[in-house]
Amino acid sequence: MTIKSLLPLIAATFICGGSVLVEARQPKPPTAVVKPTVSQPAQPKWKLFTAPDGRFSILMPGNPNRNTQYQKTYMGKITLKIFVAQPPKQQVAYLVAYNDFPYSYGEMADPQAVLNNARDMALKTTKSHLISQGNIRSSNNHPGKEIEYINSGGKITRSRMYVAEGRLYQVMAITTKKQQKTLAKTITGYLNSFHVVLKK
């Protein structure tokens, strides 16, 4: 699963090309006895990633690829920042994206309405079926929503969205049904590691 093949699964605005550079684990020294085993994907090195503006932190499997997109909306021009990491030899991609709202909209908008709109847009643009959803809170009590959905190609996305201080964050893991079972704990740990840093 390449980054390009993931694009339709993310959202219409999540456009990010090129390869993702991640750190590969050092190969293990050969053992004396070779036993037939099920091939296991190489485990990436996870490390804490802090956004360039310092407004969020999260554990990522290596250094994420960074992209910026500009979108014209009814609110005005929106800047979308995207961070993507894809471990080698795994059918999964980890993403964080955010956009700031114009001040007037951010002050007036109902957070639940923003989250519902983001959910609907994700399902529509990826032509996906909603598996589950629930209201959540960030580690410092910002309103959020967790959703899980599957597209016609069988790709599963777990996404947590938060509205915090005039900004919408989207934290996602996109994978196949097979890898989703294998990586369930890893994906949950990844989502749990996301932390919004309050403005000073």
Side-chain angles (χ1 to χ4, degrees), residues 79-97:
T79 301
L80 184 71
K81 300 281 188 177
I82 309 163
F83 305 86
V84 182
Q86 184 180 13
K89 300 180 181 179
Q90 290 188 16
Q91 298 292 303
V92 63
Y94 299 95
L95 302 99
V96 179

Side-chain angles (χ1 to χ4, degrees), residues 21 40 49 55 60 65 86 118 125 169:
L21 298 177
Q40 294 293 326
F49 171 75
R55 294 276 301 278
M60 278 279 200
N65 188 33
Q86 184 180 13
T125 57
Y169 293 96

Side-chain angles (χ1 to χ4, degrees), residues 134-172:
N135 293 329
I136 56 175
R137 289 273 172 178
S138 71
S139 58
N140 42 21
N141 211 35
H142 291 292
K145 185 178 288 291
E146 178 169 356
I147 60 174
E148 185 173 10
Y149 51 94
I150 185 169
N151 76 346
S152 58
K155 299 294 188 299
I156 297 174
T157 299
R158 276 188 68 189
S159 174
R160 290 183 184 176
M161 302 174 290
Y162 303 97
V163 175
E165 299 180 324
R167 177 177 286 185
L168 172 66
Y169 293 96
Q170 298 185 64
V171 187
M172 292 176 280

Side-chain angles (χ1 to χ4, degrees), residues 6-84:
L6 286 168
L7 295 183
L9 313 177
I10 303 168
T13 52
F14 287 20
I15 302 170
C16 45
S19 60
V20 176
L21 298 177
V22 293
E23 294 181 14
R25 186 178 176 185
Q26 292 297 321
K28 293 180 179 179
T31 55
V33 180
V34 178
K35 296 180 181 179
T37 58
V38 177
S39 177
Q40 294 293 326
Q43 295 301 313
K45 290 182 180 178
W46 288 78
K47 57 186 178 181
L48 188 67
F49 171 75
T50 301
D53 67 357
R55 294 276 301 278
F56 76 85
S57 64
I58 190 168
L59 287 174
M60 278 279 200
N63 295 316
N65 188 33
R66 307 176 190 187
N67 289 271
T68 301
Q69 293 295 125
Y70 303 96
Q71 300 291 328
K72 290 182 179 179
T73 73
Y74 66 92
M75 297 177 290
K77 191 176 182 180
I78 295 292
T79 301
L80 184 71
K81 300 281 188 177
I82 309 163
F83 305 86
V84 182

Side-chain angles (χ1 to χ4, degrees), residues 101 114 141 192:
F101 297 115
V114 172
N141 211 35
N192 288 344

